Amino acid sequence: GGHPQQGNVGNANRQTKGRLSDLILSWTAMKVEYINPFLTATVTAFQAMLGWKLQRGKPFVKKGYQPEHEISGVIGLSGRARGVVVLSLSRSVALAVTGALLPDQPPAEINAQVTDAIGEMANIIAGGAKARLEKLHLSVSLPTVVSGKCHCIDFPSRVPPICIPFETPFGPMSVQVGLVETDTCTDQRTADAPAEARTTG
């Protein structure tokens, strides 16, 4: 059929919803190649650095911009797609990671040591994913760490982030991915935005 008339809002809404679900389906399929390097790198990093086996749960589309857990290592992506990958850890997991990396002084609460330890894990994961991402024309930025019960992450606005939950020996954590492809983007300002700082080495 032709284009709906301006006044015919119901029809326009249905068309928009249909387009949106098609977009999410195709984007989810495409996103798998961007997400998988991070999932593999996460499992490998926790096994290699901490000797932990992670159990992966079922991915779901996340509502809102608050991460699942209390402390987040945020890795920026630029290039063929831009956005963020978030390593989100519950308090018990963040403390256990820090205790394993710094056995002489295990922390009792989330402090600068914990922030450093989670930053280090995020850095290792970004490094592990980097080689595979470069083949996909993506660059990773140096990770930043955000903590606090109600912190928000600046995910790209048009795409609902996908959350991949993991169970660890010390509680839950997740990897959350919010990306938009830049080369299919009609907004030139987005496509031409300077790439974020790349990790060296």
Side-chain angles (χ1 to χ4, degrees):
H3 293 293
Q5 292 166 348
Q6 284 290 288
N8 197 342
V9 175
N11 193 10
N13 276 352
R14 269 200 301 282
Q15 282 209 335
T16 307
K17 277 202 175 110
R19 272 204 304 273
L20 196 64
S21 59
D22 289 349
L23 189 76
I24 288 170
L25 278 175
S26 65
W27 179 225
T28 304
M30 195 165 27
K31 214 185 258 189
V32 167
E33 67 174 343
Y34 300 148
I35 296 174
N36 279 343
F38 285 101
L39 300 186
T40 306
T42 300
V43 171
T44 305
F46 275 82
Q47 177 74 59
M49 298 294 296
L50 310 169
W52 296 8
K53 263 188 138 45
L54 302 185
Q55 297 293 319
R56 188 168 139 192
K58 197 174 160 58
F60 60 92
V61 175
K62 206 172 152 26
K63 291 180 172 64
Y65 298 103
Q66 278 190 1
E68 296 295 290
H69 304 299
E70 222 167 303
I71 186 159
S72 299
V74 183
I75 303 161
L77 273 183
S78 57
R80 190 173 140 196
R82 65 169 188 86
V84 290
V85 175
V86 180
L87 177 70
S88 179
L89 295 94
S90 60
R91 186 172 180 278
S92 58
V93 173
L95 294 177
V97 167
T98 311
L101 293 176
L102 303 167
D104 298 344
Q105 35 189 199
E109 61 195 321
I110 290 182
N111 57 19
Q113 285 174 314
V114 177
T115 305
D116 288 349
I118 302 316
E120 185 55 33
M121 287 304 287
N123 214 5
I124 291 164
I125 290 165
K130 195 176 168 195
R132 286 175 65 188
L133 292 167
E134 279 171 353
K135 291 188 187 124
L136 298 169
H137 308 289
L138 293 173
S139 309
V140 289
S141 71
L142 285 164
T144 53
V145 178
V146 194
S147 65
K149 277 219 162 72
C150 297
H151 66 282
C152 284
I153 301 291
D154 189 15
F155 288 109
S157 55
R158 279 164 299 165
V159 181
I162 287 181
C163 178
I164 300 93
F166 286 93
E167 200 53 51
T168 80
F170 297 91
M173 59 172 266
S174 66
V175 172
Q176 289 156 51
V177 184
L179 295 173
V180 283
E181 283 228 305
T182 49
D183 56 1
T184 54
C185 200
T186 49
D187 181 355
Q188 275 313 108
R189 284 170 315 178
T190 305
D192 296 341
E196 292 186 64
R198 291 173 172 77
T199 46
T200 50

